[in-house]
């Protein structure tokens, strides 16, 4: 029998962030800051990621919409339904493209009508209450509990009152890595890392067994 001790939670976390410490917003080319355009782009990405489709396809579709200029709710509304469908198709987001194109148009109109195109107004309405923010996000067509969870998970470093936030999928990743599933214990192990980056890395582990294997091996060799 080998006397090798299993890696500590902190070593696993460090290896995880080193291996895949990239938020989905970063992967989609969104330079997230507290201004209307990138916040809206994150909302669109959250809608796309919440469907039962590969994350890489959702990211590619978000990039395609951006490349076609649909980076603001006004530009999304002004685009035709077919233009939205075509952009989603370029990102290979074909299974739900027609329904999603409709939701994107309706959602953009709601953001314009309700928050004048600026999701910082939704933040102000929530007034530091994460549950109110989650509820407000779900007023947007196509954004359900999963989409709201994704938005908050990705925005938490920018809007610190929303964090630390992991969500169910991130906790699945923690379990697969043999990490504690208590948010408090996870937070202690990841205290040197950005909350949004760590949460996204856990989600990646939940979605990809190869990441779990790679991170576990890297943690053992530290």
């Amino acid at each position: 029998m080998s006397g090798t001790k299993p890696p500590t939670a902190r070593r696993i976390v460090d290896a995880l962030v080193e291996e895949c410490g990239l938020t989905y917003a970063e992967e989609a080319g969104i330079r997230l800051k507290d201004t209307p355009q990138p916040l809206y782009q994150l909302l669109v990405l959250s809608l796309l990621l919440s469907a039962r489709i590969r994350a890489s396809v959702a990211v590619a579709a978000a990039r395609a919409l951006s490349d076609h200029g649909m980076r603001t709710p006004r530009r999304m509304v002004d685009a035709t339904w077919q233009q939205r469908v075509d952009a989603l198709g370029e990102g290979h987001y074909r299974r739900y493209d027609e329904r999603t194109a409709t939701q994107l148009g309706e959602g953009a109109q709601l953001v314009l009508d309700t928050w004048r195109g600026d999701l910082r107004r939704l933040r102000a309405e929530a007034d530091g209450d994460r549950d109110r923010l989650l509820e407000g996000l779900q007023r947007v067509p196509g954004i359900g509990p999963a989409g709201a969870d994704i938005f908050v998970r990705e925005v938490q470093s920018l809007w610190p009152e929303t964090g630390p936030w992991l969500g169910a999928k991130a906790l699945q990743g923690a379990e697969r890595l043999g990490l504690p599933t208590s948010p408090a214990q996870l937070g202690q192990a990841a205290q040197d890392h950005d909350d949004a980056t760590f949460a996204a890395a856990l989600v990646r582990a939940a979605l990809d067994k190869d990441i779990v294997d790679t991170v576990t091996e890297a943690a053992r060799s530290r």
Side-chain angles (χ1 to χ4, degrees), residues 1-210:
M1 277 182 65
S2 168
T4 304
K5 292 182 179 179
T8 63
R10 184 161 294 189
R11 282 188 177 182
I12 294 171
V13 168
D14 289 346
L16 172 67
V17 173
E18 186 175 309
E19 175 66 24
C20 51
L22 185 74
T23 66
Y24 285 94
E26 288 170 333
E27 186 180 349
I30 300 169
R31 295 183 179 181
L32 197 56
K33 54 185 177 179
D34 199 23
T35 55
Q37 180 174 303
L39 290 170
Y40 175 69
Q41 288 179 281
L42 177 60
L43 184 72
V44 169
L45 176 63
S46 300
L47 185 157
L48 298 173
L49 282 168
S50 66
R52 293 181 180 276
I53 201 160
R54 283 183 294 122
S56 59
V57 172
V59 167
R63 281 185 172 274
L65 288 164
S66 178
D67 289 345
H68 283 270
M70 297 175 225
R71 303 183 194 96
T72 69
R74 174 51 59 197
R75 293 293 296 274
M76 187 68 77
V77 166
D78 288 346
T80 67
W81 177 83
Q82 190 61 53
Q83 286 172 327
R84 294 193 290 268
V85 169
D86 291 345
L88 291 167
E90 284 184 24
H92 303 288
Y93 199 93
R94 297 195 178 96
R95 185 176 176 188
Y96 305 105
D97 55 350
E98 295 188 355
R99 183 183 71 182
T100 301
T102 299
Q103 290 173 335
L104 287 170
E106 293 175 348
Q109 191 63 61
L110 182 137
V111 171
L112 287 169
D113 293 344
T114 307
W115 302 300
R116 287 181 280 168
D118 188 347
L119 290 170
R120 292 176 300 182
R121 289 191 169 89
L122 169 59
R123 181 190 188 187
E125 285 177 9
D127 194 25
D129 186 326
R130 184 169 58 208
D131 288 340
R132 285 178 64 187
L133 179 62
L134 289 164
E135 290 169 6
L137 288 164
Q138 290 177 67
R139 295 169 64 184
V140 179
I143 298 285
D149 179 294
I150 292 165
F151 184 93
V152 171
R153 191 184 75 216
E154 292 273 318
V155 86
Q156 63 183 310
S157 298
L158 189 62
W159 294 354
E161 73 278 9
T162 65
W165 180 250
L166 293 171
K169 186 61 71 175
L171 292 177
Q172 286 178 24
E175 186 174 13
R176 293 185 70 175
L177 287 160
L179 289 167
T181 53
S182 156
Q185 288 178 295
L186 279 173
Q188 186 173 8
Q191 59 185 341
D192 297 327
H193 298 289
D194 174 75
D195 288 338
T197 301
F198 174 54
L202 286 174
V203 171
R204 293 178 191 279
L207 297 175
D208 189 341
K209 184 180 182 300
D210 289 343

